[in-house]
Amino acid sequence: MNLKHRYDRNMQALSIEECAVLAGKRVAIVGCGGLGGLVIEALARIGVGYLRVVDGDVFEESNLNRQLLSTETVLGREKAIVAAEHVNEINSEVSVESCVTYLTEANATELLAGVDCVIDCLDNFEARFWAAHACQQLGIPIVYGAIAGWFGQTCTVYPGDVSFPTIYGDTKRESQHKLLGNLPFTAYVISAIQAAECVKVLLDRPGQIRNRLLMVDLLDGSIDDIELR
């Protein structure tokens, strides 16, 4: 396969050399649902060489309104397995490892070790904290994203940076998506920013959303950028 031709539409925005760098990078995506499925799609298409997809859940009918990987034919199947199959259909040059498990305190370090970047596409605070904690210990940057209704937010956290306790305070609170729902276009916007952040991390590009929180409100069409202290 002519890889230069495959990535021809990347050129100018990315160089041939940068495409080669991406082909040698390893990324873990935790959560293969509304955000995760779209992030996986973007990174497979842009040519990140290795993707580890982590999710213990199966697809259900309520996922069909927003989750790219969810179709009527895969209801009841494991999200991580379906994600791996989808990557293989998109780009055979990408190696994909599926982990059918939920991220917990006990397995977080093992699941996230050995990658260059982690993308947090989780939907619960406890797992999010354990992922962030493991990344701090492992010295790996993590790209965080969350949505609720028309609203979403994202940022990139390196070891030693201001992290999730600043954003949330603690884990003992109900996820806003359970109160406000999940809309497809909100997931598309936030996942696109997460994928872009990951590529910037992998290529050491400037302009990363670091030590600040990007908040997007699609209902009133506003974007706010808040410094994290």
Side-chain angles (χ1 to χ4, degrees), residues 68-79:
L68 177 71
L69 300 176
S70 180
T71 67
E72 293 180 355
T73 62
V74 301
L75 296 181
R77 294 191 61 203
E78 295 90 347
K79 293 182 178 181

Side-chain angles (χ1 to χ4, degrees), residues 28-54:
I29 302 98
V30 188
C32 300
L35 292 174
L38 290 151
V39 169
I40 291 164
E41 169 100 1
L43 297 184
R45 290 191 182 278
I46 206 168
V48 174
Y50 168 92
L51 302 177
R52 182 181 300 155
V53 296
V54 181

Side-chain angles (χ1 to χ4, degrees), residues 1 11-12 26 41 46 61 66 79 91 145 159 167 191 211 219 228:
M1 180 179 293
M11 301 311 166
Q12 305 307 317
R26 300 166 62 88
E41 169 100 1
I46 206 168
E61 192 173 5
R66 71 198 180 282
K79 293 182 178 181
N91 192 343
I167 302 171
S191 62
N211 292 318
L219 189 58
L228 297 176

Side-chain angles (χ1 to χ4, degrees), residues 2 24 45-46 51-52 95 113 129 151 205 218 220 222 226:
N2 187 331
R45 290 191 182 278
I46 206 168
L51 302 177
R52 182 181 300 155
S95 298
F129 271 72
F151 177 82
R205 286 274 195 122
L218 296 177
D220 66 13
S222 66
I226 296 178

